């Protein structure tokens, strides 16, 4: 949609574009007798934008960066690549995330929807991106943002916003509108001709569980009007402006009117740029250092709770610049490691336990994902060492097979891990039949893509060839139940070793290489020899 069409829709609805809200950042002197209470250091506080900017957070962003570590040109290239892949006549509507509530009005810290952030770098809630094919323009497409408008009351409670003006001047949008206008504009945005294609993305769900989704059945009047709106034979613009935009987009996606944006966008997101690899490597370095600290702390704190190790890991990550954890850490001591996603972390450490810790931080919206297993005592017992070495050998061989020239897939790597573990376990006394590994001892998949999401790009095909720029996890594990089919000495042991691997033309790059995993290094870290 061109800017004039958008403006016409606003005029028809009686809406206007808000005036710019300016705010002086000049230093103000407060005089009391001879005292001057002004401070030059307070000029940028509170920040004048809704997220860090080079002028307000020079410790986080360099000049020219739109978000920490990422220049504006990177976002421009991402949008351009997407629109070129979708072809002439494409239109994209991508909704950002919203604030989640923990209970009543108590909110979780906001994190932007990944696809929206990837294309914009905009980190305020309740925003929407519109991209429209425009081959004759210098960009080749039209870029519009719907953002929260500046509001004095919200500023008092939540701080400043970038506003409509910031969406154009800072984020480079061709046109920007208050998000309160989105419902008014959607009928025109959703009205496409036969030679156009519409791709849409809804905001993330609060939970994947069907039982957690709220059910608000529409009234008979609204149901009939939505059916009329998305009838293949006609398009009606008689729409109540109070209808939530996500409801309208959801209806469009269930009709023949729109296609899901996720798959074509995530095909692009799966191939990481040099800037993204650099960000992910830093996230992995932070997490690797925190894993090393935890190993030492566990050895010094026999009898401590698992949650204390979790707290140490999070503290170390935060002190090194991480914004948040990429996921709820698994800190499983002893037989708790038999539970793949054990996150209660409320048991105490026994001196003879192994501890399996699956934890990684997020850094500038890029995740890390590392698992290490180590002895609380600082020294592996003979059975622990044998089982650990079996998993380690399989893991290292899987990493060696992550070569671009071999055209491997996730599924092939997983099958290799099963065969490797089968042979390794047989060498240490396991009498296994076909399927014992996959069904019982190693019930999870070897790998997943990594990026801005922990399980990045979920639309990916496990049988697709892995290419340069892909970043995946390699995480074989063995979890021996209290079952007489398996050697008694290994009962209750759970061992997983996970690294992050980037596919490069020079071979596999292990981003998490600083996290100790060789037996001598793990024991050295636990004993404080390896720092």
């Amino acid at each position: 949609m061109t800017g004039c069409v958008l403006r016409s829709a606003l005029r028809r609805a009686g809406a206007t574009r808000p005036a710019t809200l300016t705010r002086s950042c000049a230093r103000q002197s407060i005089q009391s007798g001879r005292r001057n209470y002004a401070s030059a250091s307070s000029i940028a506080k509170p920040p004048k934008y809704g997220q860090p900017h080079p002028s307000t957070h020079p410790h986080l962003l360099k000049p020219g960066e739109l978000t920490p570590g990422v220049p504006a040109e990177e976002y421009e290239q991402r949008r351009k690549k997407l629109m070129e892949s979708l072809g002439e006549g494409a239109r994209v509507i991508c909704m950002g995330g919203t604030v989640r509530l923990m209970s009543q009005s108590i909110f979780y810290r906001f994190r932007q929807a990944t696809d929206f952030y990837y294309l914009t770098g905009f980190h305020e809630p309740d925003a929407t991106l519109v991209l429209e094919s425009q081959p004759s323009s210098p960009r080749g497409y039209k870029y519009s943002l719907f953002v929260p408008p500046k509001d004095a009351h919200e500023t008092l409670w939540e701080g400043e916003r970038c506003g409509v003006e910031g969406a154009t001047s800072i984020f480079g949008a061709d046109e920007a509108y208050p998000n309160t206008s989105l419902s008014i504009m959607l009928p025109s945005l959703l009205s496409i001709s036969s030679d156009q294609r519409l791709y849409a993305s809804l905001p993330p769900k609060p939970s994947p569980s069907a039982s957690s989704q709220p059910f608000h059945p529409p009234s008979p009047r609204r149901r009939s009007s939505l059916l009329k709106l998305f009838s293949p034979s006609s398009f009606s613009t008689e729409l109540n402006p109070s209808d939530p935009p996500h409801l309208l987009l959801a209806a469009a996606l269930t009709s023949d009117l729109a296609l899901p944006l996720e798959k074509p966008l995530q095909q692009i997101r799966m191939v990481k740029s040099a800037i993204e690899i650099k960000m992910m490597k830093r996230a992995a370095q932070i997490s690797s250092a925190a894993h090393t600290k935890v190993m030492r702390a566990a050895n010094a704190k026999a009898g401590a709770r698992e949650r204390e190790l979790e707290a140490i890991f999070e503290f170390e990550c935060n002190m090194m610049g991480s914004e948040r954890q990429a996921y709820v850490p698994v800190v499983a001591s002893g037989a708790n490691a038999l539970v793949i996603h054990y996150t209660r972390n409320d048991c105490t450490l026994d001196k003879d336990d192994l501890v399996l810790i699956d934890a990684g931080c997020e850094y500038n919206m890029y995740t890390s994902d590392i698992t290490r297993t180590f002895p609380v005592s600082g020294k592996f017992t003979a059975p622990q060492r044998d089982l650990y070495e079996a998993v380690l050998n399989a893991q290292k061989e899987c990493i060696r097979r992550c070569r671009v020239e071999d055209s491997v897939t996730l599924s092939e790597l997983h099958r290799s891990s099963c065969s490797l573990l089968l042979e390794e376990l047989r060498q240490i006394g396991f009498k296994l039949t076909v399927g014992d590994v996959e069904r019982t001892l190693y019930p999870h998949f070897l790998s997943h893509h990594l990026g801005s999401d922990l399980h990045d790009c979920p639309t990916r095909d496990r049988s697709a060839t892995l290419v340069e720029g892909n970043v995946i996890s390699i995480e074989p594990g063995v979890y021996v139940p209290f079952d007489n089919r398996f050697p008694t000495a290994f009962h209750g042991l759970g061992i997983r070793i996970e690294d992050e691997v980037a596919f490069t033309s020079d071979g596999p790059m292990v981003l998490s290489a600083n996290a100790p995993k060789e037996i001598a290094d793990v024991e050295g870290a636990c004993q404080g020899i390896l720092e």
Side-chain angles (χ1 to χ4, degrees):
M1 176 184 292
T2 62
C4 61
V5 174
L6 287 171
R7 287 191 287 272
S8 297
L10 280 170
R11 284 197 295 271
R12 287 197 302 272
T16 58
R17 190 168 171 176
T20 303
L21 294 179
T22 60
R23 181 178 173 217
S24 172
C25 287
R27 183 174 65 182
Q28 297 179 358
S29 295
I30 302 173
Q31 299 292 338
S32 175
R34 294 182 179 178
R35 297 188 180 93
N36 186 342
Y37 294 103
S39 171
S41 64
S42 66
I43 290 176
K45 296 180 182 179
K48 59 181 179 178
Y49 304 114
Q51 66 188 76
H53 183 270
S55 65
T56 61
H57 293 70
H59 57 292
L60 295 179
L61 288 88
K62 297 176 183 177
E65 291 181 347
L66 187 61
T67 61
V70 185
E73 291 80 3
E74 176 97 353
Y75 290 99
E76 179 70 28
Q77 289 305 312
R78 293 171 182 179
R79 293 188 294 267
K80 186 177 179 65
K81 187 179 293 185
L82 172 65
M83 295 307 289
E84 288 177 347
S85 74
L86 298 179
E88 190 171 336
R91 180 178 294 166
V92 167
I93 304 176
C94 181
M95 299 191 77
T98 190
V99 173
R100 303 292 185 198
L101 297 181
M102 182 169 62
S103 66
Q104 298 181 28
S105 60
I106 307 303
F107 52 85
Y108 289 105
R109 189 186 299 273
F110 174 69
R111 187 194 190 274
Q112 186 59 274
T114 302
D115 286 345
F116 178 87
Y117 187 84
Y118 181 83
L119 293 171
T120 66
F122 191 80
H123 202 270
E124 294 181 37
D126 304 318
T128 297
L129 162 72
V130 177
L131 300 175
E132 300 167 87
S133 174
Q134 202 175 78
S136 61
S137 69
R139 269 181 160 162
Y141 66 93
K142 179 97 173 169
Y143 172 26
S144 301
L145 279 174
F146 291 80
V147 301
K150 287 180 175 288
D151 179 274
H153 177 76
E154 294 295 331
T155 298
L156 174 65
W157 286 91
E158 308 292 344
E160 277 287 7
R161 294 171 173 172
C162 287
V164 171
E165 289 72 22
T168 55
S169 64
I170 298 174
F171 292 90
D174 296 309
E175 294 285 349
Y177 303 88
N179 61 0
T180 50
S181 303
L182 183 57
S183 288
I184 300 168
M185 315 290 271
L186 269 178
S188 296
L189 289 169
L190 294 172
S191 181
I192 58 173
S193 59
S194 58
D195 61 340
Q196 293 177 307
R197 291 176 308 284
L198 175 64
Y199 296 84
S201 176
L202 291 165
K205 293 180 180 179
S207 165
S209 170
S211 62
S212 72
Q213 306 306 314
F215 178 65
H216 301 297
S219 68
R221 182 189 70 81
R222 296 307 308 138
R223 186 184 298 115
S224 61
S225 68
L226 283 172
L227 289 173
K228 180 182 178 183
L229 174 64
F230 296 109
S231 169
S233 60
S234 64
F235 187 88
S236 169
T237 58
E238 297 176 3
L239 184 65
N240 187 340
S242 65
D243 282 331
H246 71 274
L247 176 62
L248 304 181
L249 278 182
L253 284 165
T254 56
S255 71
D256 295 330
L257 188 64
L259 297 169
L261 175 64
E262 287 80 4
K263 190 165 186 177
L265 179 54
Q266 290 177 15
Q267 282 295 117
I268 295 170
R269 277 183 47 208
M270 274 193 292
V271 180
K272 305 298 187 290
S273 68
I275 287 175
E276 291 181 288
I277 296 287
K278 180 179 179 181
M279 212 76 70
M280 295 184 69
K281 186 171 184 178
R282 180 56 186 156
Q285 289 172 337
I286 292 172
S287 294
S288 296
H291 273 279
T292 305
K293 294 284 188 180
V294 167
M295 290 179 187
R296 175 59 182 145
N299 181 245
K301 284 179 169 286
R305 291 178 302 152
E306 295 162 335
R307 187 156 292 134
E308 291 180 46
L309 302 188
E310 177 183 352
I312 291 168
F313 186 89
E314 293 186 4
F315 171 79
E316 294 293 339
C317 289
N318 290 346
M319 292 300 290
M320 288 182 279
S322 165
E323 303 92 49
R324 61 178 69 85
Q325 295 298 293
Y327 51 99
V328 180
V330 172
V331 185
S333 61
N336 288 338
L338 303 184
V339 180
I340 309 299
H341 283 168
Y342 172 84
T343 56
R344 292 177 60 97
N345 303 346
D346 58 1
C347 289
T348 57
L349 310 181
D350 184 84
K351 62 179 179 62
D352 296 323
D353 281 342
L354 289 180
V355 175
L356 185 158
I357 175 166
D358 185 342
C361 74
E362 184 175 297
Y363 178 76
N364 293 347
M365 286 289 283
Y366 284 91
T367 62
S368 59
D369 188 8
I370 304 172
T371 306
R372 291 294 186 261
T373 309
F374 59 88
V376 172
S377 67
K379 195 79 173 172
F380 288 98
T381 64
Q384 290 172 349
R385 175 185 288 265
D386 286 346
L387 190 60
Y388 184 93
E389 199 161 34
V391 176
L392 180 62
N393 289 342
Q395 198 246 9
K396 289 162 65 175
E397 179 57 32
C398 286
I399 291 175
R400 280 193 286 270
R401 298 184 185 188
C402 292
R403 293 188 294 265
V404 174
E405 62 269 24
D406 289 348
S407 301
V408 295
T409 70
L410 290 179
S411 294
E412 289 170 350
L413 287 171
H414 178 70
R415 287 194 292 271
S416 295
S417 70
C418 294
S419 299
L420 290 164
L421 282 175
L422 178 64
E423 291 307 310
E424 290 287 340
L425 292 174
R426 282 175 171 168
Q427 290 181 33
I428 60 173
F430 282 74
K431 300 186 183 304
L432 301 173
T433 59
V434 175
D436 280 344
V437 170
E438 298 92 324
R439 282 195 302 264
T440 306
L441 297 174
Y442 172 42
H444 58 78
F445 201 72
L446 170 75
S447 180
H448 57 80
H449 282 271
L450 284 161
S452 288
D453 287 331
L454 178 67
H455 289 187
D456 206 42
C457 303
T459 61
R460 88 284 188 222
D461 183 354
R462 286 177 172 177
S463 63
T465 299
L466 294 163
V467 299
E468 185 173 2
N470 287 161
V471 181
I472 65 172
S473 65
I474 296 292
E475 50 177 317
V478 172
Y479 316 89
V480 186
F482 295 91
D483 187 323
N484 289 332
R485 289 180 298 164
F486 310 116
T488 305
F490 302 108
H491 285 185
L493 296 183
I495 294 173
R496 182 163 69 251
I497 306 171
E498 177 181 19
D499 279 305
E500 307 169 31
V501 181
F503 278 70
T504 78
S505 57
D506 296 326
M509 178 194 297
V510 182
L511 304 182
S512 49
N514 289 350
K517 72 174 180 181
E518 296 293 339
I519 288 177
D521 292 337
V522 170
E523 292 182 340
C526 291
Q527 297 168 21
I529 301 170
L530 178 69
E531 293 293 342

